């Protein structure tokens, strides 16, 4: 398994970030926050280059961004290029540490990343052959893997087939038959 490497997409911050709320400001760069999902309270220290900006936003909005689709108050535009950065990355909460915006990296026969599996079983790729293989051969397996089976799960419960070793073995075999290799990400 490969280690997860953040690509700055901001999906964790936009989806989970709405649940991260500042409870109390200690200094211009230190806060107590609450995870709205687990109720966990945790301290954070904002990276100095973002402290004034976050302090101003927190003070003017009381830690909330009503109606903001952007999610977490600690998500910032990457000043060095595309994407986003987390202003509390070094001490972000556990829910953020465990978030994976992709589950599998798919490599072509040259060893270059050709695609990523995101969500439950969708692919992000610019490779038309890989997109066709995924659509025709792999996605039907994923749909079958997450379909309700009364003996196994409650009706309507959706799980990710990426966590199923049998599904991964089948997908790996399909990809290998076309010259690709899938690597799960931890």
């Amino acid at each position: 398994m490969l280690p997860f490497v953040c690509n700055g997409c901001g999906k964790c911050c936009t989806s989970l970030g709405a649940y991260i709320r500042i409870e109390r400001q200690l200094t211009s760069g230190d806060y107590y926050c609450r995870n709205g999902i687990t109720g966990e309270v945790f301290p954070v220290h904002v990276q100095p280059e973002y402290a004034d900006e976050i302090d101003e936003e927190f003070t003017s909005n009381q830690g909330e961004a009503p109606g903001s689709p952007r999610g977490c108050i600690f998500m910032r535009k990457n000043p060095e290029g595309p994407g986003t950065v987390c202003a509390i990355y070094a001490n972000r909460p556990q829910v953020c540490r465990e978030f994976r915006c992709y589950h599998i990296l798919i490599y072509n026969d040259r060893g270059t990343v050709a695609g990523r599996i995101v969500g439950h079983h969708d692919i992000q790729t610019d490779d038309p052959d890989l997109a066709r293989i995924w659509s025709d051969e792999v996605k039907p397996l994923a749909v079958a893997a997450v379909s309700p089976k009364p003996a196994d799960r409650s009706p309507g419960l959706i799980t990710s087939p990426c966590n199923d070793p049998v599904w991964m073995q089948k997908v790996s075999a399909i990809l290998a038959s076309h010259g690709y290799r899938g690597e799960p990400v931890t």
Side-chain angles (χ1 to χ4, degrees):
M1 291 198 168
L2 298 171
F4 175 80
V5 177
C6 177
N7 63 5
C9 71
K11 288 181 183 173
C12 55
C13 299
T14 54
S15 61
L16 296 174
Y19 299 100
I20 305 301
R21 295 285 182 236
I22 295 174
E23 289 277 309
R24 187 170 141 208
Q25 184 174 24
L26 303 172
T27 69
S28 64
D30 294 295
Y31 301 86
Y32 277 127
C33 297
R34 180 177 303 275
N35 177 332
I37 298 170
T38 66
E40 166 195 15
V41 175
F42 54 93
V44 298
H45 176 74
V46 176
Q47 294 174 28
E49 61 266 36
Y50 304 108
D52 289 342
E53 182 181 350
I54 289 172
D55 176 46
E56 182 179 318
E57 185 175 329
F58 173 71
T59 303
S60 64
N61 295 326
Q62 300 305 311
E64 303 287 329
S68 172
R70 74 174 192 89
C72 187
I73 190 171
F74 300 112
M75 180 176 68
R76 301 286 131 180
K77 183 181 179 329
N78 184 353
E80 297 175 5
T84 62
V85 294
C86 175
I88 60 167
Y89 192 80
N91 56 354
R92 67 199 184 281
Q94 193 66 32
V95 68
C96 300
R97 291 178 187 277
E98 294 174 354
F99 185 86
R100 298 292 177 261
C101 53
Y102 60 92
H103 304 283
I104 301 170
L105 291 175
I106 300 174
Y107 295 88
N108 60 23
D109 59 357
R110 296 177 306 283
T112 305
V113 173
R116 289 179 168 81
I117 307 311
V118 298
H120 292 292
H121 50 70
D122 294 319
I123 190 166
Q124 287 180 338
T125 183
D126 292 328
D127 181 330
D129 293 330
L130 181 56
R132 182 195 52 75
I133 293 163
W134 194 265
S135 175
D136 295 350
E137 299 180 47
V138 177
K139 193 143 187 173
L141 290 176
V143 170
V146 299
S147 295
K149 295 175 187 159
D152 298 335
R153 50 179 75 96
S154 301
L157 179 64
I158 298 175
T159 60
S160 175
C162 298
N163 299 326
D164 179 355
V166 173
W167 182 82
M168 267 306 302
Q169 187 175 22
K170 290 176 183 178
V171 170
S172 294
I174 291 169
L175 293 172
S177 73
H178 294 282
Y180 295 92
R181 175 176 51 89
E183 290 285 336
V185 176
T186 59

